[in-house]
């Protein structure tokens, strides 16, 4: 009978939490709603940058660094000014020293002086060779006085034709000069300089026009001569030549000019003048003297057939005279 009475006691205690749970609901209804958000609240950083673009530290720095009226400079500021002046003066002095002042001998000047000096030495040696060649011709003529006159005349003709004898006579002088831009050394004027092919075409045209002897800047052309280029320099008989290029030609002046104009060389000179500014002048010379080139030793070329016998007879009469096919040493020295 006591058990049922004990089970009904907890019921009032369980109902209390329900009354206690209604209090938060009343409390929630008393809270006011939050204020509305600004449309640009999410862009607060951009708004601050637009409203106050200058940082506070930058605003206060000039005020603290600005000296007051009558405030003297500190020793650090004076030191900075002096250091800046010394560095600037040193930079200016260094720049002036790097430039080549007037009167200083440069490498180009030294090379030009050496070229002039070597050229003078070469001219002296060339003159000495010419004088020795004249002596050789005189001694040869004296040694061959008793020989066959017809053979002597044939030897003289062969010497002129081969370019191994000194000759003189009327003719023309053709002068080729680089363009004015090339002479001034302007950029892009490399094609306006006379090249080795220009001299080759001119010389071939002169031979076709009837030239009997040709010399380029004093270099006599023979059967072993060559006109070629070594870099920007033109070599004739391995000797350097420079603008203006003087081509001396012995022959009939009128016939040479007339026939030269009809050859490819005449048209080539016209193209050089009109397209590249290379000037060419032709003058008539009443008397030209072309020296003989330096004799070169022929090691493999031999006279053919009966000419070998005639040449050997002339060589036997004159031990110092060169043979017809070997213009350098004698027969005994060539072996």
């Amino acid at each position: 009978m006591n058990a049922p009475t004990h089970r009904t006691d907890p019921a009032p205690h369980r109902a209390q939490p329900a009354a206690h749970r209604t209090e938060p609901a009343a409390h929630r209804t008393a809270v006011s709603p939050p204020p509305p958000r600004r449309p640009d609240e999410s862009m607060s950083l951009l708004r601050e940058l637009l409203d106050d673009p200058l940082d506070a530290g930058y605003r206060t720095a000039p005020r603290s660094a600005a000296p007051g009226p009558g405030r003297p400079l500190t020793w650090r500021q004076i030191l900075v000014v002096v250091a800046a002046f010394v560095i600037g003066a040193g930079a200016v002095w260094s720049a002036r020293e790097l430039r080549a002042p007037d009167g200083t001998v440069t490498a180009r000047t030294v090379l030009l002086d050496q070229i002039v000096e070597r050229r003078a030495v070469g001219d002296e040696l060339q003159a000495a060779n010419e004088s020795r060649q004249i002596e050789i011709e005189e001694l040869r003529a004296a040694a061959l006085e008793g020989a066959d006159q017809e053979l002597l005349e044939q030897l003289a003709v062969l010497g002129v034709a081969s370019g191994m004898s000194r000759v003189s006579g009327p003719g023309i002088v053709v002068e080729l000069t680089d363009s004015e831009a090339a002479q001034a050394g302007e950029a892009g004027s490399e094609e306006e300089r006379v090249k080795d092919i220009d001299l080759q075409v001119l010389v071939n045209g002169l031979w076709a026009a009837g030239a009997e002897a040709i010399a380029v800047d004093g270099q006599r052309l023979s059967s072993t001569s060559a006109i070629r280029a070594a870099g920007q320099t033109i070599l004739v008989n391995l000797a350097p030549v420079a603008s203006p290029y003087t081509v001396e030609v012995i022959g009939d002046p009128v016939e040479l000019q007339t026939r030269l104009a009809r050859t490819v060389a005449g048209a080539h000179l016209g193209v050089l003048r009109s397209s590249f500014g290379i000037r060419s002048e032709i003058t008539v010379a009443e008397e030209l003297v072309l020296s003989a080139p330096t004799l070169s030793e022929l090691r493999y070329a031999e006279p053919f057939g009966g000419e070998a016998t005639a040449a050997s007879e002339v060589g036997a009469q004159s031990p110092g005279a060169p043979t017809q096919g070997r213009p350098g040493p004698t027969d005994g020295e060539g072996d």
Side-chain angles (χ1 to χ4, degrees):
M1 298 294 290
N2 295 330
T5 306
H6 181 72
R7 290 175 182 171
T8 58
D9 292 337
H13 294 282
R14 291 179 182 174
Q16 291 178 0
H20 190 62
R21 287 174 189 163
T22 58
E23 294 178 1
H27 180 71
R28 289 194 187 97
T29 57
V31 176
S32 60
R37 299 177 60 183
R38 295 182 54 176
D40 57 351
E41 186 175 358
S42 61
M43 298 184 295
S44 59
L45 180 59
L46 296 177
R47 183 160 43 81
E48 291 178 2
L49 292 176
L50 293 175
D51 296 343
D52 192 7
L54 186 62
D55 189 78
Y58 288 99
R59 243 190 336 263
T60 58
R63 299 174 184 175
S64 60
R71 182 179 176 182
L73 297 175
T74 62
W75 64 272
R76 291 184 179 180
Q77 294 174 339
I78 297 175
L79 182 61
V80 170
V81 173
V82 173
F85 176 77
V86 172
I87 293 174
V92 173
W93 178 81
S94 301
R96 294 185 61 182
E97 287 296 323
L98 289 176
R99 296 180 180 178
D102 298 337
T104 302
V105 179
T106 60
R108 177 181 175 83
T109 304
V110 174
L111 291 177
L112 290 176
D113 294 341
Q114 292 180 356
I115 291 174
V116 173
E117 182 181 355
R118 297 296 186 272
R119 184 171 295 177
V121 173
D123 294 341
E124 293 179 359
L125 295 176
Q126 181 69 23
N129 288 337
E130 293 179 1
S131 62
R132 297 296 184 273
Q133 184 68 24
I134 295 175
E135 294 179 5
I136 291 174
E137 292 177 359
E138 293 176 354
L139 292 175
R140 181 190 301 168
L144 297 177
E145 285 185 359
D148 188 5
Q149 186 65 27
E150 182 179 356
L151 185 59
L152 294 178
E153 293 178 357
Q154 183 182 3
L155 183 61
V157 171
L158 292 176
V160 173
S162 61
M164 295 300 175
S165 300
R166 193 165 62 104
V167 294
S168 63
I172 62 175
V173 178
V174 184
E175 187 175 279
L176 295 180
T177 308
D178 296 338
S179 67
E180 296 180 357
Q183 295 180 28
E186 297 181 3
S189 61
E190 290 76 11
E191 293 298 327
E192 299 181 5
R193 297 182 181 275
V194 178
K195 300 183 180 298
D196 56 338
I197 185 63
D198 301 328
L199 292 179
Q200 293 172 6
V201 172
L202 175 60
V203 168
N204 291 335
L206 289 172
W207 287 126
E212 298 179 359
I214 301 177
V216 180
D217 276 2
Q219 297 295 325
R220 176 77 177 279
L221 300 183
S222 65
S223 58
T224 58
S225 297
I227 301 175
R228 62 185 184 88
Q232 297 294 331
T233 304
I234 299 178
L235 302 179
V236 179
N237 293 336
L238 299 180
V241 294
S243 177
Y245 302 92
T246 303
V247 182
E248 299 173 302
V249 188
I250 290 181
D252 187 349
V254 177
E255 185 178 358
L256 284 174
Q257 296 182 72
T258 303
R259 297 181 63 179
L260 179 63
R262 300 174 182 174
T263 62
V264 177
H268 188 75
L269 294 178
V271 172
L272 294 179
R273 185 185 308 106
S274 59
S275 301
F276 301 98
I278 298 176
R279 300 188 304 273
S280 58
E281 298 180 1
I282 300 177
T283 57
V284 177
E286 296 181 358
E287 185 72 16
L288 293 174
V289 178
L290 305 184
S291 60
T294 303
L295 298 179
S296 59
E297 181 181 357
L298 301 179
R299 299 182 180 275
Y300 303 101
E302 297 288 346
F304 179 75
E307 297 179 359
T309 304
S312 60
E313 292 177 356
V314 175
Q317 297 177 5
S318 176
T323 61
Q324 181 178 344
R326 193 184 298 270
T330 59
D331 293 340
E333 295 174 353
D335 297 337

